[in-house]
Amino acid sequence: MFRRKHAGAAVAGLILLMSATSACASAADRSSATAVPVVPAATDTVGASTVTQHNYRLGESFTYLYDVTGANYATEQAQNGQVPRVTDLKTISETRTLVRFSVVLQNGKLAKKFELLDVRYRDIAKADTADGRPAVAFKPIQSLLPTFPATFSYVYPIGGDSDVARNLTTIFKDYPDNHLFQLVDIFTFPTSISGIPATLKPGQVLAKPGVDVTLFGTTYHSGNNTLLFERVDRANRVNQAYFNSQTLGNYFAALGIESNVQMSFHVPLTGSSAGLVSDGTLQETTYQGGQLGLPRTATQRQVSIALQTADTRSAVDTYTQDLKPRSTAS
């Protein structure tokens, strides 16, 4: 039974199973030319301070830049074999894409249309990290998967982000490649936001116990989750809630995989993107192997996501102001 209260942690951990089974400019106040300090107006109050779920409207659309890096390391056993200690870097794999969410009608009901607009990847060997080596260029995913469409889309019910993540192997059944499975955390952020109670206020901390969920016929344990509503920030002309989330002690017992996940993200409290993620980062440290004499390895995943607006553009060397690719290389 998949429980929404731990959906975000389970979604973040899905990439482990998939790997195993598949082989800003903010609107800050500025001083005037005479260097007179800007004093906020008396009516400049904090305003809304709790998160409300996004009110989806037919026809609206939001585009994000999503970037994920996975670095693989060898390990050695330390402290009498009780602790895996990370040693040498082996390889790095990156996937980057523009992803657009649009609100459409499906069977007479509002639904989300998920589109991958420009998927790129690069694989970096240890030799490529030596001082003075040229940068490894990103390549379009079609150079690896020639039949992958220029714009890949999938429509699903609103609120079904966790279901999409759990079924990526089905959605990408014609393209069973780990670079695409690394896109799983596109759905982690909206799933995590959906579990934030409207009563949670700045400064409060919400701790939830661990829970077991069934994923692809095996048990995934989502560890204890701690959600910290740190503060309210001002960006893109609106107040935004800032959260830190920690889910430690996750594991796939049957596969010998252990995982710790940390996230940070902003959620606008007002405006057209209220209740959505505006920007976020996720880090996941995993250990796998050690069974049947296989070496135990470690993977460090780092994820970033950023909503593209009139005031925010990511990867300006890669995309124009209207989000068109400048070239096939980053």
Side-chain angles (χ1 to χ4, degrees), residues 12-329:
L14 271 166
I15 192 64
L16 305 174
L17 181 58
M18 291 174 179
S19 297
T21 58
S22 67
C24 32
S26 68
D29 291 331
R30 294 176 172 85
S31 299
S32 68
T34 56
V36 176
V38 174
V39 179
T43 57
D44 186 15
T45 58
V46 172
S49 60
T50 58
V51 171
T52 57
Q53 300 302 310
H54 186 69
N55 179 27
Y56 289 98
R57 298 176 297 277
L58 182 64
E60 65 180 345
S61 178
F62 301 92
T63 301
Y64 292 88
L65 180 76
Y66 175 91
D67 195 293
V68 53
T69 300
N72 298 307
Y73 294 84
T75 72
E76 63 182 12
Q77 294 303 304
Q79 299 184 23
N80 294 323
Q82 299 301 308
V83 179
R85 180 176 294 164
V86 173
T87 56
D88 297 329
L89 174 68
K90 296 299 184 182
T91 60
I92 299 173
S93 180
E94 289 191 278
T95 305
R96 174 186 292 177
T97 185
L98 286 173
V99 55
R100 180 169 61 207
F101 289 101
S102 303
V103 181
V104 298
L105 283 177
Q106 183 183 52
N107 299 325
K109 297 181 180 179
L110 292 182
K112 275 187 182 180
K113 183 180 182 181
F114 157 68
E115 296 175 277
L116 298 177
L117 306 181
D118 181 51
V119 184
R120 309 182 187 198
Y121 78 98
R122 65 175 184 167
D123 294 320
I124 303 171
K126 184 178 180 180
D128 296 320
T129 66
D131 187 24
R133 293 281 294 178
V136 176
F138 279 88
K139 301 176 182 179
I141 196 68
Q142 287 78 13
S143 67
L144 184 66
L145 305 169
T147 61
F148 192 80
T151 300
F152 179 92
S153 65
Y154 182 78
V155 179
Y156 62 97
I158 288 175
D161 297 279
S162 61
D163 293 327
V164 175
R166 288 184 292 139
N167 288 285
L168 277 190
T169 52
T170 299
I171 294 169
F172 292 134
K173 60 182 173 59
D174 296 326
Y175 316 100
D177 186 86
N178 198 51
H179 294 88
L180 295 177
F181 295 150
Q182 292 281 356
L183 304 179
V184 64
D185 289 307
I186 288 172
F187 305 99
T188 299
F189 292 94
T191 301
S192 297
I193 293 171
S194 70
I196 299 174
T199 54
L200 195 66
K201 298 179 180 179
Q204 290 185 316
V205 180
L206 181 64
K208 300 177 182 178
V211 63
D212 289 340
V213 297
T214 299
L215 299 174
F216 299 104
T218 189
T219 299
Y220 171 72
H221 177 78
S222 179
N224 298 336
N225 174 255
T226 303
L227 180 70
L228 301 91
F229 191 162
E230 300 285 9
R231 61 182 186 268
V232 174
D233 295 333
R234 184 79 173 176
N236 289 322
R237 301 184 177 90
V238 297
N239 289 345
Q240 304 201 26
Y242 179 72
F243 292 91
N244 280 323
S245 175
Q246 305 164 2
T247 309
L248 309 181
N250 312 301
Y251 56 84
F252 285 105
L255 301 176
I257 297 175
E258 308 281 339
S259 164
N260 294 314
V261 179
Q262 301 86 39
M263 298 173 61
S264 297
F265 53 93
H266 278 103
V267 182
L269 298 174
T270 59
S272 61
S273 57
L276 302 175
V277 60
S278 63
D279 64 81
T281 60
L282 179 149
Q283 297 81 38
E284 181 176 26
T285 305
T286 67
Y287 297 94
Q288 56 273 337
Q291 297 176 322
L292 302 176
L294 297 175
R296 194 157 179 78
T297 60
T299 300
Q300 180 65 50
R301 297 181 67 247
Q302 293 182 283
V303 176
S304 67
I305 190 169
L307 178 64
Q308 306 299 288
T309 70
D311 296 321
T312 300
R313 281 292 182 267
S314 302
V316 293
D317 57 333
T318 308
Y319 301 103
T320 62
Q321 183 68 16
D322 58 353
L323 298 178
K324 300 296 183 182
R326 293 187 184 277
S327 69
T328 57

